[in-house]
Amino acid sequence: MSEAVRRVQSGSLWEESIGFARAVAAGDRVLVAGTTSFQGSVLYGEGDPYEQARVAFTNALEALGGFGLGPDAVIRTRMYLTHARDVDEVGRAHRELFGAVRPVATLLVVSGFVDPRILVEVELEAFRGATT
């Protein structure tokens, strides 16, 4: 594989069983896969959409950190929710982390996730500028 493409793993059980990377940098873009509030085998914020969104975004930002990037590099977010009633709480978590950055954002309501306790899953895209 080209040296222009780098991958970061987070240690998620799903990364191994499905065969994907948490984040991939290709050229000036870094893409972070769908990320939940699981850390290891523990789901943080069970029943709390705000806490799940906050932890999921924190987990995704940790993957960006593997490329030396933080919230200011984020240009797109995607939020997947299982309930429309959770929009305000998930939006609050998003605003706290990205309100000053103002990435483009997509928010979708989906029928469910692989674990029914998951209320929120997020994705990030970041721009890292000119690469060397």
Side-chain angles (χ1 to χ4, degrees):
M1 181 60 52
S2 166
E3 289 184 26
V5 176
R6 282 190 43 225
R7 292 168 174 75
V8 166
Q9 302 296 138
S10 71
S12 161
L13 299 175
W14 289 314
E15 289 171 12
E16 185 60 34
S17 67
I18 296 172
F20 72 96
R22 173 63 50 211
V24 174
D28 61 4
R29 299 300 270 291
V30 179
L31 308 175
V32 180
T35 304
T36 66
S37 64
F38 268 98
Q39 292 179 349
S41 62
V42 177
L43 176 70
Y44 285 83
E46 187 169 345
D48 183 343
Y50 166 79
E51 186 64 12
Q52 283 197 22
R54 191 189 67 72
V55 173
F57 278 125
T58 299
N59 290 345
L61 287 167
E62 185 176 309
L64 275 185
F67 298 100
L69 302 174
D72 58 325
V74 175
I75 59 172
R76 173 184 293 275
T77 60
R78 290 184 186 92
M79 296 160 275
Y80 304 92
L81 318 176
T82 54
H83 302 286
R85 69 175 183 244
D86 296 337
V87 167
D88 290 340
E89 289 301 294
V90 172
R92 180 167 62 105
H94 186 276
R95 184 177 58 253
E96 288 173 3
L97 291 165
F98 302 106
V101 177
R102 303 282 177 161
V104 297
T106 301
L107 192 146
L108 299 164
V109 177
V110 299
S111 64
F113 298 109
V114 296
D115 183 316
R117 298 173 299 160
I118 298 171
L119 302 174
V120 180
E121 185 168 324
V122 303
E123 296 177 354
L124 301 179
E125 291 186 33
F127 178 74
R128 60 182 183 160
T131 59
T132 55

